[in-house]
Amino acid sequence: MKKIAVGNKRLRQKQVPPPAASRRGQAKPHTTLKRIADQLDVSMSTVSRVLSGQARRHRISTQTETAVSNLARQFNFVPNQLARGLRLKKTLTIGLVIPDLSNPFFAGIAHQVALGARQHDYSVLLCDSHENIDLEVQALGLLRHRHVEGLVLCPVGTSAAHLEDLVQAQLPIVLVDRYFPDLSLPYVAADNLTGAHEGTELLIGNGHRCIACLQGVRGTSPNEFRVRGYQQALARHRLPVDASLIVGDSFGEQSGYIETKLLLRNRKDVTAIFAFSNLLALGALRALAEEHRRIPDDISIIAFDDQPYAAYLATPMTTVAQPFSEMGDVAVKLLFDQIQSPEREPTGGILLPTNLIIRRSVKKITC
Amino acid sequence: MKKIAVGNKRLRQKQVPPPAASRRGQAKPHTTLKRIADQLDVSMSTVSRVLSGQARRHRISTQTETAVSNLARQFNFVPNQLARGLRLKKTLTIGLVIPDLSNPFFAGIAHQVALGARQHDYSVLLCDSHENIDLEVQALGLLRHRHVEGLVLCPVGTSAAHLEDLVQAQLPIVLVDRYFPDLSLPYVAADNLTGAHEGTELLIGNGHRCIACLQGVRGTSPNEFRVRGYQQALARHRLPVDASLIVGDSFGEQSGYIETKLLLRNRKDVTAIFAFSNLLALGALRALAEEHRRIPDDISIIAFDDQPYAAYLATPMTTVAQPFSEMGDVAVKLLFDQIQSPEREPTGGILLPTNLIIRRSVKKITC
DNA sequence: ATGAAAGCGCTAACAA
DNA sequence: TTGTTAGCGCTTTCAT
């Protein structure tokens, strides 16, 4: 086959002393462009060009090219993304801020976002705000420092004041699950209004007239829309809306437990409970079990968030499923739309339909 | 109060033209050290020193100091961590590689790692390997490029070959859940051997003699130790070990479903099932429901991983709980031990005890 | 008490 | 076909 001149002096490797600091305990320094360049006696530009696939465009000789890429492989060379990012002003990184990764709903979203980002060759900086606004603010600052190119955020607060800066800086943002209806920030969320409406109607259709709500964090958009959907359904059927039937202020299990206990004691007329999260439902289950109430004979229950176990509970639970995977997917899409065409006005917001899954936790009763 | 001379010419702000590129659609460029320095007519060094809290040490005048920090605040200055990282060779970032964030067990670990890292003022680069070795390898490469200072990893493969490079490069690593017993890589995992042993003994103590195992991915350490624990318990009671009773090759729900279906058809003598993950158990539940087998009357079941819902299942499930929060905590600790004192030999590995939670899915039978 | 300058590793004009 | 150079934003000697 074609023989390649090998005697070329310029490509014979020079003896370059290895970097000194290789004593025990010292981290081995990364190979750099320069080291490769020196060893091969070519310029850094050449190496850079070859290694970033621009050999063709710059008509670099095959000889040089192979020599460079061989040595790079041999050295196990990895370009320093910090230097690269600094120079190019691109970090290929997005930030993901989640209130509680141990909540399967958010974990599902995070899972999808991580996968999507990867497909765009982006990395994900993860921050768990622990449902705490201060930690969220801190996380946002941190992500700015690190020059993320975009942000997927499930905000914990009821105000968007702390997002001002980021918007001003024109950082692409997508809100997930929770959003601010009066702001023009792009978001993706479940259609909580309709979901809650349908759930409530199911209850009403089964003869329930006195329905309690285990609500989540007040002021957050999912909660407010769910409350509204519930109220609208009642109103539509000319049923009275009793504000004292809407209880709680957290999406957590504890809240579900306590509020249910209280309800059981104070409102003997309640025939059904609508739990606004899977954790809330679990808490209700605990309280119900303690008080020896059977589902659905003594009391009916329906919950937001479908989870794999819902079908196998003592009483398979009727749920309003949220498409969390799709929410993650859409979030990624909306974000990269912005990143890739910053000049275009970002989409307003997207609402995904919920899905009412009927199981056996709702009983038909006669008024 | 104390009046501060304000007429000092040097600190009167100069009129510096704002950076040009502020047209619509252009990302506003970040404020830099230099901009602040120019405006105040001081040197970058001074600004740098003030902003990194070294004003005292360099005896910078209070006047300059306040002027600088005021302007910095006013400009909403954030130091560029890329530049900083490049200069200091510190990224303050760790990598987290998880096989499947939508699995609550891993999500719990991730949650804890994120929190722990934050406490050390480190950020977390998240990669979801999707239980896929190629994606894991890719993730590892990516994290190296980005110069993470450490790695928390739940490896998906059965070999550690792809970790060689990282170890060689002296990158601090901690393995979680899955590890390689014959390698000296630090790890934290549940004591799967004992956990499985105890679970099996419970079954045996209740008179079960023909116990099937729904196992996870073969070759992974959790699975192998669980199998071994199961076998040891049988042996200890002089019960025969029937290899055909150990079925499956994935920790997922599907596998639990299919293998249980098969078991039900082919091994009528099975009186108990030991599921090696919560997902596997869910799959088994589905199969059992389809085949109209009641738990524990027709068949007993016990599962690895305790989850909040376990107590509220149709039959509250007896489980071997893994301390996933602690696993995350310990992982963080082991990692930062290494990061902070690279010269010290890293700890070998840490096994955390499991916890047998007895509910009602195991029935006492008479042999 | 403050500044000048070098340099971290990389890329991209501009030269040749 | 390849090299020279400037510079991304920051920190840190070494001067003064």
Side-chain angles (χ1 to χ4, degrees):
Chain A
M1 304 268 107
K2 216 152 94 195
K3 236 193 185 168
I4 290 186
V6 133
N8 186 322
K9 194 178 116 226
R10 309 206 59 215
L11 286 183
R12 195 173 280 152
Q13 294 192 10
K14 282 171 61 176
Q15 278 307 344
V16 175
S22 269
R23 332 172 88 100
R24 159 86 194 114
Q26 287 291 331
K28 188 176 75 183
H30 272 256
T31 310
T32 71
L33 266 192
K34 189 169 183 331
R35 212 153 105 65
I36 297 185
D38 285 355
Q39 192 126 354
L40 249 30
D41 213 8
V42 297
S43 77
M44 288 170 57
S45 334
T46 304
V47 179
S48 168
R49 294 199 258 251
V50 170
L51 263 24
S52 56
Q54 306 200 40
R56 241 346 179 336
R57 195 145 69 70
H58 285 271
R59 285 178 292 184
I60 286 174
S61 72
T62 331
Q63 206 177 117
T64 321
E65 183 179 351
T66 52
V68 167
S69 39
N70 282 340
L71 193 57
R73 187 168 21 258
Q74 186 187 319
F75 277 179
N76 218 306
F77 172 76
V78 289
N80 183 331
Q81 294 294 332
L82 286 120
R84 200 149 200 271
L86 183 57
R87 179 65 231 244
L88 263 18
K89 294 185 171 314
K90 288 205 111 238
T91 52
L92 296 183
T93 305
I94 64 170
L96 172 62
V97 185
I98 290 284
D100 178 12
L101 210 48
S102 67
N103 180 330
F105 171 69
F106 290 122
I109 291 177
H111 180 70
Q112 222 53 33
V113 171
L115 259 36
R118 182 69 147 278
Q119 278 169 8
H120 288 266
D121 282 315
Y122 271 64
S123 302
V124 175
L125 269 171
L126 169 73
C127 296
D128 192 314
S129 65
H130 220 233
E131 291 277 16
N132 173 332
I133 183 66
D134 293 330
L135 278 177
E136 177 176 316
V137 171
Q138 192 188 319
L140 260 16
L142 189 140
L143 293 170
R144 275 197 76 189
H145 294 197
R146 293 183 183 277
H147 288 224
V148 294
E149 294 179 36
L151 214 53
V152 174
L153 169 68
C154 305
V156 306
T158 57
S159 133
H162 59 300
L163 300 181
E164 282 293 326
D165 284 357
L166 303 171
V167 176
Q168 212 96 61
Q170 310 215 196
L171 181 69
I173 301 188
V174 175
L175 264 26
V176 179
D177 180 46
R178 306 176 185 183
Y179 60 101
F180 307 103
D182 28 327
L183 259 60
S184 69
L185 284 175
Y187 63 80
V188 48
D191 185 351
N192 290 300
L193 185 86
T194 310
H197 193 110
E198 288 177 1
T200 310
E201 287 225 306
L202 179 76
L203 257 10
I204 296 173
N206 278 279
H208 294 274
R209 293 294 172 263
C210 186
I211 304 168
C213 275
L214 260 27
Q215 71 176 336
V217 180
R218 299 178 196 195
T220 60
S221 63
N223 190 67
E224 295 313 303
F225 281 114
R226 289 172 197 179
V227 168
R228 213 178 299 168
Y230 160 80
Q231 292 172 332
Q232 283 187 4
L234 291 182
R236 191 145 173 276
H237 291 266
R238 315 206 181 281
L239 258 25
V241 173
D242 180 347
S244 71
L245 244 24
I246 307 177
V247 297
D249 189 19
S250 146
F251 285 106
E253 202 261 3
Q254 273 297 328
S255 178
Y257 171 74
I258 294 173
E259 299 298 343
T260 303
K261 286 285 252 191
L262 257 27
L263 235 26
L264 256 25
R265 170 149 325 172
N266 305 328
R267 301 291 309 238
K268 311 266 186 208
D269 52 336
V270 168
T271 62
I273 293 180
F274 197 161
F276 281 3
S277 86
N278 57 336
L279 262 24
L280 249 10
L282 245 20
L285 252 30
R286 182 150 64 98
L288 259 16
E290 278 186 16
E291 303 288 332
H292 305 293
R293 308 298 171 100
R294 289 159 308 160
I295 305 171
D297 302 304
D298 299 330
I299 196 160
S300 291
I301 184 167
I302 172 170
F304 251 87
D305 288 349
D306 191 57
Q307 293 291 333
Y309 59 80
Y312 305 104
L313 292 172
T315 305
M317 179 118 59
T318 295
T319 58
V320 180
Q322 298 194 70
F324 57 85
S325 285
E326 286 80 353
M327 286 168 69
D329 285 344
V330 173
V332 169
K333 169 154 182 25
L334 291 185
L335 188 65
F336 282 97
D337 279 357
Q338 289 184 69
I339 292 178
Q340 278 153 11
S341 12
E343 72 291 350
R344 217 169 38 214
E345 276 300 317
T347 339
I350 292 187
L351 250 30
L352 267 22
T354 57
N355 185 14
L356 185 63
I357 300 179
I358 297 179
R359 297 207 180 87
R360 302 217 319 270
S361 61
V362 176
K363 182 193 172 196
K364 193 166 196 81
I365 63 176
T366 46
C367 328
Chain B
M1 303 271 109
K2 216 151 91 194
K3 235 190 182 167
I4 290 186
V6 134
N8 187 321
K9 193 179 115 225
R10 311 209 54 215
L11 286 182
R12 195 174 278 153
Q13 295 191 9
K14 282 172 61 176
Q15 279 306 347
V16 175
S22 269
R23 331 173 88 101
R24 160 87 193 111
Q26 288 291 331
K28 189 177 75 180
H30 272 257
T31 309
T32 70
L33 264 194
K34 187 170 184 333
R35 213 153 105 66
I36 297 184
D38 285 355
Q39 192 125 353
L40 249 29
D41 214 8
V42 297
S43 77
M44 289 170 56
S45 331
T46 304
V47 179
S48 168
R49 294 199 258 249
V50 170
L51 264 24
S52 56
Q54 306 201 38
R56 242 343 180 338
R57 196 144 68 70
H58 286 269
R59 284 177 293 185
I60 287 174
S61 72
T62 332
Q63 209 177 113
T64 322
E65 183 178 352
T66 54
V68 167
S69 37
N70 282 339
L71 194 58
R73 189 170 19 259
Q74 186 187 319
F75 277 179
N76 218 308
F77 172 77
V78 290
N80 184 329
Q81 294 295 332
L82 286 114
R84 199 149 200 272
L86 183 56
R87 179 64 231 246
L88 264 19
K89 294 186 170 314
K90 289 206 108 233
T91 51
L92 296 182
T93 304
I94 64 169
L96 172 61
V97 185
I98 291 285
D100 178 12
L101 211 48
S102 67
N103 180 330
F105 172 68
F106 291 122
I109 291 176
H111 180 70
Q112 221 52 34
V113 170
L115 259 34
R118 183 72 145 277
Q119 278 169 8
H120 288 266
D121 283 314
Y122 271 65
S123 302
V124 176
L125 270 171
L126 170 72
C127 297
D128 192 314
S129 65
H130 220 232
E131 292 277 15
N132 174 331
I133 183 68
D134 293 330
L135 277 178
E136 177 176 315
V137 170
Q138 193 188 319
L140 259 16
L142 189 140
L143 292 171
R144 275 197 77 188
H145 294 197
R146 292 181 185 280
H147 287 222
V148 294
E149 294 179 35
L151 214 53
V152 175
L153 169 68
C154 305
V156 306
T158 57
S159 132
H162 58 303
L163 299 181
E164 282 292 327
D165 284 357
L166 303 171
V167 176
Q168 211 96 64
Q170 310 216 195
L171 182 69
I173 301 188
V174 175
L175 265 24
V176 179
D177 179 47
R178 305 177 185 182
Y179 60 100
F180 307 102
D182 28 327
L183 258 61
S184 69
L185 284 174
Y187 63 80
V188 49
D191 184 352
N192 290 300
L193 184 86
T194 309
H197 193 110
E198 289 177 1
T200 310
E201 287 225 306
L202 179 76
L203 258 10
I204 297 172
N206 277 279
H208 295 274
R209 294 293 172 263
C210 186
I211 304 168
C213 275
L214 260 27
Q215 70 176 336
V217 180
R218 298 179 196 194
T220 61
S221 63
N223 191 67
E224 295 313 303
F225 281 114
R226 289 171 197 178
V227 168
R228 212 178 301 167
Y230 159 81
Q231 292 172 332
Q232 283 186 4
L234 290 182
R236 192 146 171 275
H237 292 266
R238 315 208 181 278
L239 257 25
V241 173
D242 180 347
S244 70
L245 246 24
I246 306 176
V247 297
D249 191 17
S250 147
F251 285 106
E253 203 263 2
Q254 272 298 327
S255 178
Y257 171 73
I258 294 172
E259 299 298 343
T260 304
K261 287 286 252 191
L262 257 27
L263 235 26
L264 256 25
R265 169 147 326 170
N266 305 329
R267 301 291 308 238
K268 312 265 187 212
D269 52 336
V270 168
T271 61
I273 294 180
F274 196 160
F276 281 2
S277 86
N278 57 335
L279 262 24
L280 249 10
L282 245 19
L285 252 30
R286 180 149 65 96
L288 259 15
E290 277 185 18
E291 304 288 332
H292 306 291
R293 306 299 170 97
R294 290 160 307 161
I295 305 170
D297 302 306
D298 298 330
I299 196 160
S300 292
I301 184 167
I302 172 170
F304 251 87
D305 287 349
D306 191 56
Q307 293 292 333
Y309 60 79
Y312 305 104
L313 292 171
T315 305
M317 180 117 60
T318 294
T319 58
V320 179
Q322 298 194 70
F324 57 85
S325 284
E326 286 79 355
M327 285 167 70
D329 285 344
V330 173
V332 169
K333 169 152 183 26
L334 291 186
L335 189 64
F336 282 98
D337 279 357
Q338 290 184 69
I339 292 178
Q340 277 152 14
S341 8
E343 72 291 350
R344 223 178 23 222
E345 276 299 318
T347 339
I350 292 187
L351 251 29
L352 266 23
T354 57
N355 184 15
L356 185 62
I357 300 179
I358 298 180
R359 297 207 180 87
R360 303 217 318 268
S361 61
V362 175
K363 183 190 170 197
K364 193 164 195 82
I365 62 176
T366 46
C367 328

